[in-house]
Amino acid sequence: MSESAHGVAERLVRNVEQVVLGKDDEVRLILAALVAGSHVLLEDVPGTAKTILARSIAGSIGGGTFSRIQCTPDLQPTDVTGLSVFDPRSREFEFRPGPVFANIVLVDEINRSMPKTQSALLEAMAERQVTVDGLTHELPPPFFVIATENPIEQEGTFPLPEAQLDRFSVRTALGHPTLEQEVEVVEAQRHGHPIARLAPALTSDEVIGLQRAVEDVYVDTLLLEWMVRLVRATREVEGVLAGASVRGSLALERIARAWALLHGRDYVVPSDVEHLFLPVLGHRLILTISFLADARGAGSGALEIVRDRCLAAAPPPAPDWDDGAERWRAAS
């Protein structure tokens, strides 16, 4: 990783945090997904700055475009992708892009859209393109989807299938601020919302450069093998009906690289992987009903128990990582 890549990444983080206050860890996690070229699912209650976060990321990118898709049961796939309209003057069909043709796309309450609409989003997220009337249209880079779900109100929703959940590299929540943070938010909006004063901090080309810089972040072979063992452990530990697929291994490695970059390092350490285990792998696991019932009575989250079991089944290697990173940099 070049020094300039870290500077650009830090500039992006600081710019977003002018608007989203007191959420450094969450902001870096979501930006890690952007830098890794993937997508985020925010599962949170209303009023926790999900829309503001998406708008602040888009506003931080010079020339970046932002669109919001408000999902409802009557939302059609063409309302997302766009459609072909007949032009009587040219006597030809002309494609009119939908809101998915943007750099930052907020898909609000994604589970309120019908499965066929969710499927249209699936192609866009997985392949960075949409197909309408047999013609394929490429989406503009960088392309980043932030989808939201309300975990409380489930009436009139369509649960996301596993294939759709697997397309999100990260699932997280912003959560409510602390008392001090909420006071700061109220004071910051006394003379208008900070989003109105937000200026771009980097260009789209710099974002693409950050995505390329992720490839230069070093992952030791021992660490890579441990990540794969952790993912494989999710398929074997007690309480898990279906574990993470190979896509989970790919996402964990990629997000770990981006996470390291956003923390000013050109190498990944085991604590990165442990911290990212639940945001990257938690939503890919299907737990047994009996285990969920037992975990509820145990007073600890079911996914936290699964994480601990996986770490016990696949403990991290214990060489001197800092010394190894120094030797790698000296040889580079």
Side-chain angles (χ1 to χ4, degrees):
M1 180 191 68
S2 66
E3 191 69 30
S4 61
H6 173 234
V8 172
E10 194 63 24
R11 204 189 323 147
L12 174 59
V13 171
R14 295 306 173 202
N15 207 58
V16 172
E17 288 183 339
Q18 292 182 53
V19 178
V20 182
L21 306 176
K23 298 292 180 181
D24 182 76
D25 195 65
E26 293 84 355
V27 166
R28 288 181 187 271
L29 178 60
I30 291 165
L31 291 179
L34 167 64
V35 172
S38 53
H39 311 288
V40 169
L41 177 63
L42 286 178
E43 197 173 76
D44 218 336
V45 296
T48 51
K50 299 184 294 293
T51 302
I52 292 300
L53 173 62
R55 288 180 58 196
S56 63
I57 294 173
S60 297
I61 303 172
T65 54
F66 170 74
S67 68
R68 175 177 178 173
I69 302 172
Q70 183 63 53
C71 293
T72 56
D74 61 349
L75 187 74
Q76 298 298 312
T78 52
D79 295 329
V80 174
T81 62
L83 73 166
S84 297
V85 178
F86 183 73
D87 186 347
R89 290 175 296 181
S90 63
R91 302 184 66 83
E92 293 180 350
F93 283 92
E94 176 186 350
F95 177 69
R96 295 186 180 177
V100 77
F101 283 82
N103 298 121
I104 311 296
V105 180
L106 173 64
V107 184
D108 210 6
E109 296 189 289
I110 186 174
N111 56 331
R112 291 199 177 278
S113 61
M114 291 186 297
K116 63 180 180 179
T117 305
Q118 294 176 9
S119 297
L121 283 166
L122 182 65
E123 181 190 10
M125 293 167 56
E127 303 177 31
R128 305 296 198 276
Q129 65 182 31
V130 297
T131 303
V132 178
D133 295 333
L135 296 177
T136 299
H137 305 273
E138 299 290 332
L139 295 170
F143 177 65
F144 181 48
V145 172
I146 302 177
T148 72
E149 280 189 323
N150 182 350
I152 297 177
E153 187 180 357
Q154 298 298 321
E155 185 177 353
T157 62
F158 302 88
L160 294 178
E162 282 71 27
Q164 182 86 4
L165 282 172
D166 215 18
R167 293 305 192 274
F168 292 100
S169 288
V170 170
R171 181 181 68 176
T172 188
L174 291 176
H176 289 298
T178 63
L179 172 63
E180 294 77 11
Q181 291 167 351
E182 193 162 349
V183 170
E184 187 179 359
V185 168
V186 174
E187 289 180 339
Q189 297 190 29
R190 183 174 299 162
H191 303 293
H193 203 290
I195 193 74
R197 302 185 293 273
L198 189 70
L202 71 169
T203 65
S204 296
D205 288 340
E206 285 179 310
V207 174
I208 294 172
L210 282 176
Q211 294 175 342
R212 292 173 180 160
V214 168
E215 300 173 6
D216 297 327
V217 175
Y218 176 65
V219 179
D220 191 87
T221 302
L222 287 175
L223 200 55
L224 179 59
E225 290 176 355
W226 175 54
M227 290 187 208
V228 174
R229 287 201 306 272
L230 269 178
V231 174
R232 293 176 67 86
T234 66
R235 308 167 197 164
E236 301 168 357
V237 296
E238 183 182 357
V240 179
L241 183 64
S245 68
V246 176
R247 193 176 284 120
S249 298
L250 293 168
L252 186 59
E253 191 265 355
R254 185 76 177 178
I255 297 294
R257 287 178 186 261
W259 180 259
L261 187 151
L262 284 164
H263 284 80
R265 283 184 277 105
D266 51 7
Y267 58 93
V268 176
V269 296
S271 59
D272 296 335
V273 180
E274 292 185 28
H275 184 81
L276 295 169
F277 182 94
L278 290 182
V280 175
L281 299 179
H283 58 290
R284 305 172 194 271
L285 310 180
I286 302 176
L287 308 182
T288 64
I289 296 175
S290 60
F291 172 68
L292 287 170
D294 293 341
R296 186 175 302 166
S300 180
L303 288 174
E304 284 79 2
I305 295 175
V306 170
R307 177 196 58 197
D308 294 343
R309 288 179 178 177
C310 290
L311 288 170
D320 188 339
W321 294 109
D322 291 333
D323 179 65
E326 291 295 332
R327 287 187 281 105
W328 173 79
R329 277 198 296 269
S332 299

